Amino acid sequence: MNRLALPLLAAAVAVAAATSAAHADLAPIQCLFNTGATAAMGAQDPNWMVLETGAAAVVRSNIPNTYLPNTADSKWIWESANGQPGNNTRTFRLTFDLTGLVAATAQITGRWSTDNVGQAILINGVSAGQSANGFTAWANFSVYSGFVAGVNTIDFVVRDLGVPGGFRAELSGTAQAVPAPGAMALLGAAGLASRRRRR
């Protein structure tokens, strides 16, 4: 192998390694908790806040038999354990952190059910154009934009048309990890080798 070929080979290897690191498998977004997943019936859910009251949401202590049944994965929540007050709009917020992840690659998918109307899902205050209707079935959702580096919020806006009110969501997300410093160094080495070859 001649002297000109060696820098080219080194550059190709460096670029391939850096590209592989930059496009690594997606990592899960932490702190995306399903409603009621970490709290007992009638207790506050510390992961979900009701924006209109500034207090933690509460896991419904009883639900009508017309609702989707609670499971080990998620439960119904509202402003209070008995689903009151009704005839109002409530916004349920979950906060999560994308530190160490590339915000532009983030995505959150899941499903939600509402008593009565799911009016919108917002990422950092901006509507993602999603809706749901009814408490007897799930509505799927997917969000692929609006994320920022660091702390983010996802809000679910629910309009109740009569007592009791209820909201339920199951969600998960992924994003690419920020490339390791070594990957960036490899890109720099590739560029340096290329410049030397041209000289």
Side-chain angles (χ1 to χ4, degrees):
M1 186 176 291
N2 62 42
R3 289 186 301 171
L4 289 177
L6 286 174
L8 284 174
L9 179 60
V13 170
V15 169
T19 301
S20 176
H23 293 86
D25 290 338
L26 296 176
I29 298 173
Q30 303 299 320
C31 301
L32 292 179
F33 296 99
N34 296 342
T35 57
T38 63
M41 305 290 282
Q44 288 188 330
D45 184 335
N47 303 306
W48 289 87
M49 182 176 73
V50 182
L51 288 192
E52 288 78 9
T53 65
V58 179
V59 179
R60 291 283 310 273
S61 57
N62 54 43
I63 58 172
N65 57 16
T66 51
Y67 277 25
L68 287 169
N70 288 327
T71 67
D73 293 326
S74 66
K75 305 180 192 73
W76 289 88
I77 62 173
W78 194 249
E79 179 181 339
S80 65
N82 62 6
Q84 296 190 34
N87 293 306
N88 56 22
T89 299
R90 290 292 179 257
T91 305
F92 297 88
R93 170 168 290 181
L94 178 67
T95 301
F96 58 97
D97 195 344
L98 291 179
T99 298
L101 301 173
V102 180
T105 68
Q107 57 183 5
I108 295 178
T109 59
R111 57 187 188 172
W112 59 321
S113 188
T114 58
D115 184 359
N116 295 94
V117 181
Q119 294 182 322
I121 297 176
L122 293 78
I123 299 294
N124 298 311
V126 178
S127 176
Q130 310 280 327
S131 63
N133 191 7
F135 43 79
T136 61
W138 292 104
N140 295 325
F141 68 87
S142 302
V143 183
Y144 299 98
S145 62
F147 303 101
V148 299
V151 176
N152 289 252
T153 58
I154 181 168
D155 298 336
F156 293 80
V157 183
V158 180
R159 173 65 182 166
D160 177 54
L161 303 177
V163 179
F167 161 64
R168 186 173 171 192
E170 297 179 353
L171 63 169
S172 62
T174 59
Q176 288 182 359
V178 173
M184 301 311 293
L186 285 173
L187 283 174
L192 181 60
S194 178
R195 284 194 297 274
R196 286 178 177 167
R197 180 185 58 77
R198 285 197 298 270
R199 289 178 185 169

